[in-house]
Amino acid sequence: MASAIVVTGATGPIGRQVVAGLRDRGAEVRAVTRQADAAPATAGIRFVSAQAPFVDLLDGARAALINVTALGAGDPTADPEARLTELVAAARTHGVGHLVLLSSASAADPESPIGAGYRPVEERLAQFDGAVTILRSVLFMSNTAHWWSAAIQQSRTASAPYADVAVAPIDDRDVASVITAALLTEPAAVAGTHLLTGPALLTPRELVATIAEILGADIAFEDLPPDVVRGRLVGAGLPARAVDGLLRSFEYARLEPVAPSAAVQRFTGRRAGTYARWVADHLALFR
Ligand SMILES: NC(=O)c1ccc[n+]([C@@H]2O[C@H](COP(=O)([O-])OP(=O)(O)OC[C@H]3O[C@@H](n4cnc5c(N)ncnc54)[C@H](OP(=O)(O)O)[C@@H]3O)[C@@H](O)[C@H]2O)c1
């Protein structure tokens, strides 16, 4: 009987936690990586090569996590659509019962460049004849370290556009826990599309104030026009599409305010972690 759970993107920040969570709960884990030979031998986890065809990777699998980065999304030399088509065909061949996709809340926004990358993946999966669970996540709390840790460490300053637009960032650990639970749950109970958010609406100004409070230091906050931020980030070498996607996610939150969802509680049985808790657990990033 098919028993393995295949995790693509297994070495990424989310994938690593999913693999460990599945292993801890006794599942047979097949962790997909481009560097299977270099992966450390780990009890309960079998690393397999991402270069292998999916018809081999999914043989004997009952469920699989799809991570779009691991399909090559964002890599101009890759063909993620062909890889996804191959994955879905292999899932059908082997009777894999459950495909779980880590998607983005931006998929709901017709004008989002990030959403434009996820929607075709979601649409392709809708044609799969087994159960499909689509987990649309909002911004990860860990993004705020990329935005602010250097400036806070160096000069106790932080800047952001959309200073007073509220979002509901989610603790990455909750994202991984929801995925783990979804992969281990009877598919019919979780199939469908779910919005994953953190527990509270917070503006960039409030996020920085939270860091300041937990750090016990004053942080000067500067509200910047989106155009200025775009120029700086693209000038620093970030892909324009990624920058536009990030800015659009705040513009969309301004136009269509997000409401915190109960998905983390529903999947994990625990309340979603707060931003204050995330900061306290990662304070070294801001000291
Ligand atoms: N950050 C957010 O706010 C946010 C919000 C919603 C959704 N998401 C999505 O959540 C996922 C994040 O997952 P993650 O942080 O665990 O890791 P990730 O950045 O998606 O990477 C996962 C793994 O994919 C492999 N990979 C990287 N580039 C690749 C390429 N060009 N071709 C093939 N494989 C490649 C790497 O593994 P190997 O080197 O071992 O092969 C990497 O460890 C992403 O899909 C992201 O779009 C993020």
Side-chain angles (χ1 to χ4, degrees):
M1 197 179 111
S3 57
I5 298 179
V6 174
V7 177
T8 64
T11 61
I14 298 291
R16 274 198 305 269
Q17 297 178 72
V18 172
V19 165
L22 291 171
R23 188 240 0 247
D24 292 350
R25 291 168 70 177
E28 181 191 333
V29 186
R30 212 173 278 170
V32 183
T33 167
R34 289 170 300 177
Q35 324 230 347
D37 294 342
T42 311
I45 300 168
R46 185 153 78 84
F47 288 94
V48 293
S49 170
Q51 283 86 0
F54 274 117
V55 76
D56 292 344
L57 294 173
L58 267 56
D59 189 1
R62 64 178 153 113
L65 171 65
I66 300 170
N67 174 305
V68 298
T69 313
L71 293 177
D75 177 351
T77 66
D79 187 351
E81 276 184 43
R83 197 77 176 127
L84 179 66
T85 300
E86 189 203 329
L87 187 156
V88 171
R92 190 171 288 136
T93 299
H94 292 302
V96 176
H98 194 192
L99 296 180
V100 176
L101 170 70
L102 174 52
S103 185
S104 163
S106 294
D109 174 9
E111 289 184 35
S112 165
I114 296 174
Y118 279 99
R119 270 192 306 280
V121 179
E122 294 191 356
E123 284 161 13
R124 181 74 192 79
L125 283 180
Q127 294 160 13
F128 178 58
D129 34 21
V132 174
T133 301
I134 292 172
L135 302 170
R136 286 181 170 175
S137 175
V138 297
L139 290 167
F140 297 172
M141 290 176 181
S142 57
N143 289 358
T144 64
H146 301 303
W147 302 341
W148 296 319
S149 69
I152 291 175
Q153 283 180 351
Q154 288 158 22
S155 56
R156 296 288 188 246
T157 60
S159 60
Y162 298 104
D164 298 305
V165 172
V167 290
I170 185 165
D171 190 319
D172 323 37
R173 296 170 293 191
D174 286 335
V175 176
S177 297
V178 169
I179 293 169
T180 305
L183 288 165
L184 291 171
T185 303
E186 172 58 36
V190 290
T193 300
H194 307 270
L195 176 66
L196 309 187
T197 76
L201 288 168
L202 291 165
T203 66
R205 198 188 298 282
E206 290 168 336
L207 291 167
V208 171
T210 304
I211 300 170
E213 187 183 332
I214 293 170
L215 199 55
D218 290 335
I219 298 173
F221 181 83
E222 186 184 11
D223 180 7
L224 292 175
D227 285 358
V228 171
V229 173
R230 186 182 192 282
R232 281 188 193 173
L233 295 178
V234 173
L238 267 77
R241 187 184 162 91
V243 173
D244 289 339
L246 175 65
L247 293 173
R248 174 65 199 177
S249 66
F250 279 93
E251 180 64 19
Y252 190 60
R254 187 177 71 78
L255 298 168
E256 304 271 343
V258 68
S261 84
V264 171
Q265 172 97 44
R266 181 184 159 203
F267 277 84
T268 69
R270 286 182 282 105
R271 284 201 192 144
T274 64
Y275 187 63
R277 171 69 191 269
W278 183 87
V279 173
D281 290 346
H282 298 84
L283 205 52
L285 296 171
F286 301 105
R287 262 197 191 109

